[in-house]
Amino acid sequence: MANKLRLGIPKGSLQDATIALFKRAGWNIYADGRSYFPSIDDSEIECMLIRAQEMARYVDHGVLDAGLTGIDWVVESGLEPVSVTTLTYAKQSRRKVRWVLAVPEASGYEKAEDLEGKIIATELVETSKRYFAAKGVNVKVEFSWGATEVKPPMLADAIVEVTETGSSLKANHLKIIDTVMESETHLIASKAALADGWKRQKIDQLATMLRGAIDAQAQVGLMLNVKRANLDAVLAVLPALNSPTVSELRDSEWVAVNTIVEERVARDVIPRLKAAGGAGIVEYPLNKVVL
């Protein structure tokens, strides 16, 4: 039987972002919305859609060899699958998400200690219990099946909820009074899979390419030509990843410069490169950056 890596893809809010990340990394995953077994253009991988909340259990127990899920759900599970690499992306952004303690704006609660004896609604039950226990605050933590933001003040006094921007909390007249934990997506694997030479190599391949796709998202490539006389001035402008590549051109008075910069600084760097003597400046997107 041919080698197969059983890979868990998070179903739900992370699903589309995960499939898009795999595409940038070089794999096409096709999910038709009805099957829990999406196809992938790699005969060595078998995918299964699993809720992120359950991923750690199935990986830790060896049902899956590897999977992608938030570190929050790994912590919540109390299990210890191996984290192979971090992949900072979420449903809407490339930032970490936060689990926050939020209360009604008009409640008068300002800190966790103000919630002594109160009801807290959340999906992250065990982590929330540990958070309040560490502060010596006695509360009743209730599991929320969803729509957690609408529960205060009638169904709960406060909530522990995940947020990227805080906009949903504000829309429901809630204010954040503390951060319970930060989370980001991890590629996790079972200890048994990592002990298998072939599976470990395949997991490492996934980690390298997914990590490269993540690292490339916020960066762009720049290439330009410059006269040798102006080269030092141009290089002084560039905040290179390592150091720019300088190549000879047919005209010995000119050289080509190639480098990588953060996308957010390109708009400032390009005019300065032109002013320093750069010519034929081209900005181009990157699919992967493997360090």
Side-chain angles (χ1 to χ4, degrees), residues 59-217:
V59 171
D60 186 75
H61 293 175
V63 178
L64 297 170
D65 297 312
L68 288 87
T69 187
I71 195 63
D72 46 357
W73 298 118
V74 177
V75 171
E76 177 72 1
S77 74
L79 300 170
E80 296 183 348
V82 178
S83 174
V84 179
T85 190
T86 59
L87 302 165
T88 306
Y89 72 99
K91 179 181 178 181
Q92 299 175 332
S93 69
R94 298 195 295 260
R95 300 193 301 265
K96 292 182 180 181
V97 299
R98 293 189 299 153
W99 283 91
V100 298
L101 176 59
V103 298
E105 291 173 343
S107 66
Y109 303 133
E110 297 295 336
K111 57 186 184 299
E113 289 76 7
D114 296 338
L115 295 166
E116 177 73 28
K118 303 301 182 182
I119 295 174
I120 314 299
T122 184
E123 289 185 76
L124 203 71
V125 172
E126 297 305 319
T127 303
S128 297
K129 286 179 179 178
R130 291 192 291 267
Y131 165 82
F132 282 104
K135 291 181 174 292
V137 180
N138 295 309
V139 297
K140 182 179 181 182
V141 179
E142 294 184 343
F143 179 74
S144 173
W145 288 94
T148 307
E149 299 99 322
V150 305
K151 294 187 174 177
M154 292 184 63
L155 303 178
D157 299 291
I159 64 172
V160 173
E161 179 65 339
V162 67
T163 183
E164 286 186 54
T165 64
S167 58
S168 181
L169 296 173
K170 291 177 183 177
N172 285 281
H173 308 291
L174 300 173
K175 65 178 181 180
I176 297 170
I177 61 173
D178 200 8
T179 296
V180 174
M181 73 174 296
E182 288 188 331
S183 181
E184 59 189 331
T185 305
H186 284 227
L187 173 63
I188 61 173
S190 71
K191 296 179 180 70
L194 292 175
D196 179 294
W198 181 87
K199 288 183 178 180
R200 183 176 192 110
Q201 185 178 32
K202 193 67 178 179
I203 291 167
D204 286 344
Q205 178 195 12
L206 282 170
T208 297
M209 300 307 285
L210 291 171
R211 181 76 249 172
I214 286 285
D215 289 341
Q217 286 184 102

Side-chain angles (χ1 to χ4, degrees), residues 224-228 231 246-249 253-257:
L224 62 146
N225 295 334
V226 60
K227 284 189 173 183
R228 289 184 183 275
L231 180 58
V246 179
S247 305
E248 300 288 337
L249 294 177
E253 292 187 7
W254 288 77
V255 294
V257 177

